C-alpha cells in the first residue's frame, strides 16, 4: 500500500485548481438549488395553478425530483468520457449545459400563458440540469483530489464541496433580497425570473476560470500508461470504465450509495423542505425562512473545510460517522425548535443541522475518490454518488411534504431522516479507511488483477 506521500504540487497551482473547481461547483449548485427554492415558493402557483396549495407544492417538488432522476445518466455519460478524455473537458461541458438550462427557465412562459406546455418545458429543462450536475460533482472533486497533496487531500478536496453551501447561499441570498424589495405580486409576476437569468453571467465567469486550469497529472499518467498498453498487441483490450467499475468496484459503489443516504436526505429536508414546513406549520414568513437558511449556509460553508482537515488527522470514516449519528440525533430537536416560531430557534435548528451534515459532506470527496482506480475513478465516484441521489435527495422534499400532509406532524419526517442515518452508519462502518491511499501510485491494470500482493490492494489504486 502506498503511504500517501505524493509530493505536493506548487501552492499557487493547487490554489488555482481549487478556485476553478469551487467557482464551477458554486455556479452549478446555485442553478440547482435555485430551482428547489423556487419550487417551494412560487412554482406551485405559476406552473400548477389548478391544484390546491399543498398539492401544487407536491407537484412542484415532483419536477424538482425529476432533476435527480437525470443525475445517474449524467454520471454514466460524463464518468465514461471523463475517464477516457479527461476531467477538464467534461467539466466545461457540464457548466455550459447547467447554465443554459437555468437561463432558459428564466425565459419560460408560465401556465397562464401557454397552459400545460409550461410544466412540460419546465420538466425538460430540469432534466438537463440534473444531467449536467450528475457529471459535475465527480469531475470537480477529482480534479482537486488528483492535483492535491495526499497528506491534506481531505482538506483540499473539501473545497469543491463548499460549492454546495456557496450555491445555496447565493441562490437563497438573491431570492431573499428580491422578496424583501418586491411585493408578492411583483415577485410572482417577473421578479422570480431575475436569479435564473443571472446564471448566464455566472457561467461566463465560471468558464473563463475553468478553461485556465490544467488536466489532472494523475489522469495524464494513467492515460499514458493506457496508451502504452494499447500499443502492445499482446495486451488485453481495455474495458469500458463502467464495466470495470461494476466488475471490480461494486462493493465500493454500494458503500458510496449507502454513505450518501443520510447526507443527501438530511440536506434537502433541512434546506428545501424547511421552506414549506416553516411557512405552513410554524407560521413563519417566506422571508424569515429564507434568512435562516441564508445564515446557516454561511456557517455550513465555513464548517466544511474544518471537517475536511479533521478527516486528514483522524480519518474519513470517523468524521463521516460523527455527521451521520449527529444528524439522526438532531432531527427531533430540529423540528421542536422550528415549532416554537422563534427566528433565533429557527436559525439554531438549521445551522446545527447543516454543520452536522458538513461532517458527512466534507470528507466525502476524498473518501469516494480514494475508493477507485484512476481510469475508472470518475465513473466510480459519480455512479456511487449520483445513483444514491435518486433514492435519497430526489424524493426527500416530496416524501417529507407528503408525510406532513398525511399526518400533520413532524414526527414521521424525523423518523424518515433517522432511518437514513442508520443506513449510512452501517455503510460507513463496513467501509475501509482510505486516508493513507496515494492516488498517484497508479497501476491501471490493478483493478483487474486480484492476484497481486496484498500490500497493493487493487481497490485503492
Amino acid at each position: 500500500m502506498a503511504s500517501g506521500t505524493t509530493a505536493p504540487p506548487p501552492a499557487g497551482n493547487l490554489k488555482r485548481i481549487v478556485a476553478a473547481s469551487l467557482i464551477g461547483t458554486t455556479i452549478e449548485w446555485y442553478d440547482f438549488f435555485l430551482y428547489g427554492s423556487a419550487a417551494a415558493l412560487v412554482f406551485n402557483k405559476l406552473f400548477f395553478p389548478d391544484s390546491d396549495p399543498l398539492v401544487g407544492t407536491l407537484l412542484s417538488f415532483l419536477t424538482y425530483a425529476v432533476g435527480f432522476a437525470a443525475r445517474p445518466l449524467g454520471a454514466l455519460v460524463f464518468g465514461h468520457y471523463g475517464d477516457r478524455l479527461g476531467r477538464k473537458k467534461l467539466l466545461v461541458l457540464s457548466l455550459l449545459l447547467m447554465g443554459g438550462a437555468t437561463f432558459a427557465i428564466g425565459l419560460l412562459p408560465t401556465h397562464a400563458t401557454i397552459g400545460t406546455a409550461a410544466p412540460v418545458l419546465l420538466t425538460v429543462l430540469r432534466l438537463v440540469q440534473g444531467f449536467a450536475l450528475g457529471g459535475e460533482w465527480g469531475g470537480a472533486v477529482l480534479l482537486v483530489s488528483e492535483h492535491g497533496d495526499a497528506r491534506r487531500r481531505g482538506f483540499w478536496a473539501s473545497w469543491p464541496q463548499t460549492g454546495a453551501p456557496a450555491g445555496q447561499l447565493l441562490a437563497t441570498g438573491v431570492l431573499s433580497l428580491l422578496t424583501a424589495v418586491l411585493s408578492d405580486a411583483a415577485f410572482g409576476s417577473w421578479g422570480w425570473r431575475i436569479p435564473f437569468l443571472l446564471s448566464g453571467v455566472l457561467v461566463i465567469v465560471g468558464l473563463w476560470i475553468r478553461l485556465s486550469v490544467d488536466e489532472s497529472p494523475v489522469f495524464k499518467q494513467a492515460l499514458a500508461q493506457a496508451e502504452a498498453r494499447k500499443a502492445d498487441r499482446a495486451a488485453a483490450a481495455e474495458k469500458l470504465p463502467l464495466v470495470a467499475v461494476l466488475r471490480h468496484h461494486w462493493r465500493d459503489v454500494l458503500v458510496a450509495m449507502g454513505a450518501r443516504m443520510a447526507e443527501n436526505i438530511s440536506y434537502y429536508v433541512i434546506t428545501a423542505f424547511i421552506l414549506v414546513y416553516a411557512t405552513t406549520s410554524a407560521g413563519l414568513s417566506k422571508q424569515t425562512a429564507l434568512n435562516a437558511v441564508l445564515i446557516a449556509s454561511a456557517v455550513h460553508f465555513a464548517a466544511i473545510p474544518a471537517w475536511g482537515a479533521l478527516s486528514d488527522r483522524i480519518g474519513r470514516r470517523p468524521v463521516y460517522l460523527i455527521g451521520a449519528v449527529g444528524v439522526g440525533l438532531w432531527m427531533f430537536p430540529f423540528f421542536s425548535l422550528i415549532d416554537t416560531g422563534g427566528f433565533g430557534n429557527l436559525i439554531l435548528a438549521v445551522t446545527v443541522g447543516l454543520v452536522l451534515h458538513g461532517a458527512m459532506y466534507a470528507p466525502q470527496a476524498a473518501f469516494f475518490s480514494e475508493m477507485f482506480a484512476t481510469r475508472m475513478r470518475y465513473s466510480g465516484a459519480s455512479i456511487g454518488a449520483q445513483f444514491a441521489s435518486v433514492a435519497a435527495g430526489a424524493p426527500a422534499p416530496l416524501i417529507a411534504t407528503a408525510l406532513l400532509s398525511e399526518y400533520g406532524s413532524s414526527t414521521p419526517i424525523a423518523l424518515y431522516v433517522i432511518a437514513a442515518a442508520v443506513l449510512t452508519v452501517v455503510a460507513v462502518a463496513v467501509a475501509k479507511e482510505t486516508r493513507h491511499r496515494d492516488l498517484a501510485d497508479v497501476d491501471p491494470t490493478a483493478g483487474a488483477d486480484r492476484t497481486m500482493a496484498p500490500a497493493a490492494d487493487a481497490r485503492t489504486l
Side-chain angles (χ1 to χ4, degrees):
M1 173 82 72
S3 61
T5 57
T6 305
N13 183 55
L14 179 55
K15 289 178 181 178
R16 186 169 68 252
I17 296 295
V18 171
S21 293
L22 171 57
I23 292 173
T25 54
T26 296
I27 294 169
E28 296 249 11
W29 282 114
Y30 165 80
D31 291 347
F32 204 74
F33 288 145
L34 181 61
Y35 189 104
S37 296
L41 297 174
V42 295
F43 281 178
N44 57 334
K45 300 172 185 175
L46 295 174
F47 293 93
F48 307 98
D50 297 331
S51 306
D52 83 28
L54 199 54
V55 173
T57 300
L58 281 168
L59 292 172
S60 185
F61 274 142
L62 186 59
T63 64
Y64 172 76
V66 162
F68 287 82
R71 284 165 67 170
L73 179 60
L76 290 172
V77 173
F78 280 80
H80 172 81
Y81 287 104
D83 282 329
R84 287 299 181 93
L85 304 177
R87 291 42 168 136
K88 177 181 172 179
K89 295 182 180 70
L90 276 296
L91 286 174
V92 169
L93 178 59
S94 71
L95 191 59
L96 285 171
L97 285 174
M98 176 66 88
T102 305
F103 188 82
I105 290 173
L107 300 174
L108 196 63
T110 63
H111 188 280
T113 304
I114 60 172
T116 55
V120 172
L121 290 173
L122 181 68
T123 302
V124 170
L125 292 173
R126 182 59 174 172
L127 283 168
V128 175
Q129 281 191 323
F131 179 78
L133 191 62
E136 163 69 21
W137 181 84
V141 299
L142 293 189
L143 198 62
V144 175
S145 294
E146 292 178 345
H147 271 90
D149 175 2
R151 293 168 298 180
R152 303 186 67 198
R153 186 182 298 127
F155 172 73
W156 289 116
S158 71
W159 279 101
Q161 301 290 77
T162 64
Q168 180 76 64
L169 193 65
L170 188 58
T172 306
V174 172
L175 285 172
S176 182
L177 176 62
L178 290 171
T179 56
V181 301
L182 297 176
S183 65
D184 286 346
F187 182 77
S189 175
W190 55 269
W192 68 271
R193 298 182 183 275
I194 294 175
F196 287 92
L197 298 176
L198 179 62
S199 178
V201 178
L202 297 176
V203 167
I204 293 173
V205 175
L207 283 174
W208 176 70
I209 295 173
R210 193 160 268 187
L211 287 168
S212 69
V213 303
D214 296 325
E215 182 56 80
S216 154
V218 173
F219 175 79
K220 288 180 180 179
Q221 175 189 345
L223 183 61
Q225 292 174 344
E227 293 298 326
R229 289 198 308 278
K230 286 180 182 178
D232 181 1
R233 294 182 179 180
E238 185 178 12
K239 294 183 176 63
L240 294 175
L242 173 60
V243 174
V245 167
L246 296 181
R247 180 176 179 182
H248 301 294
H249 289 276
W250 61 269
R251 292 182 183 85
D252 297 314
V253 170
L254 291 178
V255 166
M257 291 177 67
R260 284 275 282 171
M261 297 306 289
E263 176 268 307
N264 220 217
I265 288 173
S266 66
Y267 188 79
Y268 290 104
V269 168
I270 293 169
T271 60
F273 172 71
I274 190 65
L275 299 178
V276 175
Y277 187 81
T279 54
T280 57
S281 295
L284 297 165
S285 68
K286 288 187 293 186
Q287 184 67 45
T288 299
L290 284 169
N291 287 344
V293 174
L294 189 66
I295 294 168
S297 294
V299 178
H300 191 210
F301 180 91
I304 287 175
W307 286 119
L310 183 62
S311 78
D312 287 326
R313 296 181 63 87
I314 67 174
R316 318 297 184 213
R317 292 171 66 251
V319 174
Y320 214 114
L321 289 171
I322 290 171
V325 173
V327 160
L329 294 175
W330 183 243
M331 276 301 103
F332 280 111
F334 172 79
F335 286 108
S336 296
L337 286 168
I338 297 171
D339 289 338
T340 65
F343 182 54
N345 285 341
L346 178 61
I347 293 174
L348 178 62
V350 179
T351 301
V352 173
L354 287 183
V355 168
L356 291 170
H357 169 270
M360 293 181 283
Y361 200 55
Q364 189 178 99
F367 190 30
F368 289 8
S369 297
E370 291 159 347
M371 289 181 181
F372 301 96
T374 299
R375 290 284 283 159
M376 59 188 80
R377 186 170 294 134
Y378 201 145
S379 296
S382 296
I383 290 169
Q386 303 307 333
F387 272 69
S389 70
V390 176
L398 188 66
I399 290 173
T401 303
L403 289 172
L404 180 63
S405 177
E406 178 68 22
Y407 297 99
S409 167
S410 63
T411 298
I413 305 167
L415 293 174
Y416 165 54
V417 179
I418 290 170
V422 171
L423 182 57
T424 292
V425 167
V426 171
V428 177
V430 302
K432 294 181 179 180
E433 180 55 60
T434 62
R435 174 166 59 113
H436 293 299
R437 295 179 180 177
D438 188 349
L439 301 185
D441 185 15
V442 179
D443 174 3
T445 64
D449 182 7
R450 310 304 290 182
T451 64
M452 63 190 303
D457 183 353
R459 299 195 308 148
T460 72
L461 300 180

